[in-house]
Amino acid sequence: MMLSFFDQFASPTYLGIPLIALALSLPWILYPTPSNRWLNNRLLTLQAWFINRFTQQLLLPLNIGGHKWAMLFASLMIFLMTLNLLGLLPYTFTPTTQLSLNMGLAVPLWLATVIIGMRNQPTIALGHLLPEGTPAPLIPVLIIIETISLFIRPLALGVRLTANLTAGHLLIQLIATAAFVLFPMMPTVAILTSTVLFLLTLLEVAVAMIQAYVFVLLLSLYLQENV
Amino acid sequence: MQRARGLEGTMELAAGYRGIGLSMFPQHLSTEHVQTKAPPIQPPATGSQGPLTEQKLMDMRLSELPVWLTSRRLVTPREAVAAVQRGWLRYYRKYIDVRKGGIGGIGMLLAGYCILSYAWNYPHIKQDRWRKYH
């Protein structure tokens, strides 16, 4: 039986435990708790530097009400980035290729921002449905369009992450298979394909980090509108 | 070496007492002769096999591993979790929690993760072997 290219996205079970359980709990081990020493080890120093820079950057446009979400955003960013990057290692499983997981992250967080806006400042939250300076005849149409775009946000958040990672992994597997099969027949073409594979892997590393950042950035923007 | 204040009169330190000084404070007493450590015990002969269950994991040979695992006294889940925690802390303190740790600490973890994932996937991957006709 030949394996299809989509088999890498099925989480295999071993002794009844799916691999996704191990893949989801690994980021917990990789980031140790900071100790109360003055000088920590290199891993903790790097981790603290990165989290501080990222949180400062992300929370810059948010007001004080939005700062309550700081820990959630920082941990979500670290979690997603680690999951994406670990999935680039051979034979590992990437949980963020599963639409269920990404929708499970996107829908509750988006809904939380909408509910916060509707409860605390309903007029302003509804006012976002109409951009400033629209001509009068366009107002009804634009409100409908903006409502649709509001409700499509969680779908877009989840599907964006899923699609980017799934497409990246599939491309890597396809090009690697091509290089592997071409090698006995046409070594030159195989070397070119290997070069493409190498560049693609670099791209995938970048995509892994960028997609996690975009997810959290968009959530912070949605929060900024509503808080 | 600790300063033994007020102990000049005791018998054990009398042999090391350095005489009367002019100051009111006692002199620095040497205590090399005081036996504070137990004499070194002879290390057990190499190759000696005590009871299999009492040896630690790192002393086992690979072929003895299944016997060792099954003959340990039945552990509660709490003890198992505590043992895993201790093992992790040993690894962390040796390779990661050092002043100039390198990439090896995390690298070994990730390599072990890759190998574990491969073993996890193997029943599925082995179906994709070289065949004459696909």
Side-chain angles (χ1 to χ4, degrees), chain B residues 25-122:
Chain B
F25 298 106
Q27 298 297 309
H28 184 58
L29 297 164
S30 71
T31 51
E32 289 115 353
H33 61 283
V34 175
Q35 195 175 27
T36 50
K37 277 191 270 187
I41 305 172
Q42 295 275 337
T46 55
S48 71
Q49 300 298 319
L52 211 62
T53 54
E54 317 236 320
Q55 296 185 11
K56 294 198 186 125
L57 181 61
M58 294 307 291
D59 296 331
M60 303 304 295
R61 292 199 173 82
L62 209 61
S63 57
E64 291 169 0
L65 197 61
V67 182
W68 180 86
L69 277 174
T70 49
S71 64
R72 292 281 278 190
R73 68 188 192 289
L74 289 173
V75 289
T76 61
R78 176 172 301 188
E79 282 181 34
V81 167
V84 168
Q85 166 89 348
R86 265 177 302 164
W88 162 251
L89 279 178
R90 270 179 59 184
Y91 178 84
Y92 179 67
R93 287 186 187 131
K94 184 165 181 193
Y95 291 109
I96 303 181
D97 199 15
V98 289
R99 201 153 56 107
K100 292 179 80 174
I103 199 87
I106 293 285
M108 283 195 282
L109 266 180
L110 295 179
Y113 174 53
C114 287
I115 293 173
L116 190 65
S117 303
Y118 178 72
W120 214 290
N121 276 322
Y122 184 70

Side-chain angles (χ1 to χ4, degrees), chain A residues 1-3 7 12-14 17-19 22-23 26 29-30 32-33 37 39 41-44 86 89-93 180, chain B residues 88 92 96-102 106 109-110 113-114 116-121 123-131 134:
Chain A
M1 185 194 91
M2 194 170 98
L3 298 179
D7 283 340
T13 41
Y14 188 73
I17 308 175
L19 184 54
L22 177 68
L26 197 65
I29 306 173
L30 288 177
T33 319
R37 288 187 191 159
L39 265 181
N41 55 25
R42 284 179 174 178
L43 179 63
L44 278 174
L86 283 177
L89 294 170
Y91 296 112
T92 50
F93 180 73
F180 189 62
Chain B
W88 162 251
Y92 179 67
I96 303 181
D97 199 15
V98 289
R99 201 153 56 107
K100 292 179 80 174
I106 293 285
L109 266 180
L110 295 179
Y113 174 53
C114 287
L116 190 65
S117 303
Y118 178 72
W120 214 290
N121 276 322
H124 187 67
I125 294 179
K126 72 177 179 192
Q127 293 161 356
D128 191 30
R129 290 197 180 121
W130 283 110
R131 293 177 195 283
H134 269 268

Side-chain angles (χ1 to χ4, degrees), chain A residues 193-213:
Chain A
T193 319
S194 303
T195 316
V196 173
L197 181 65
F198 176 67
L199 293 172
L200 182 67
T201 311
L202 287 180
L203 176 70
E204 281 308 309
V205 171
V207 163
M209 293 192 277
I210 289 171
Q211 284 305 316
Y213 177 61

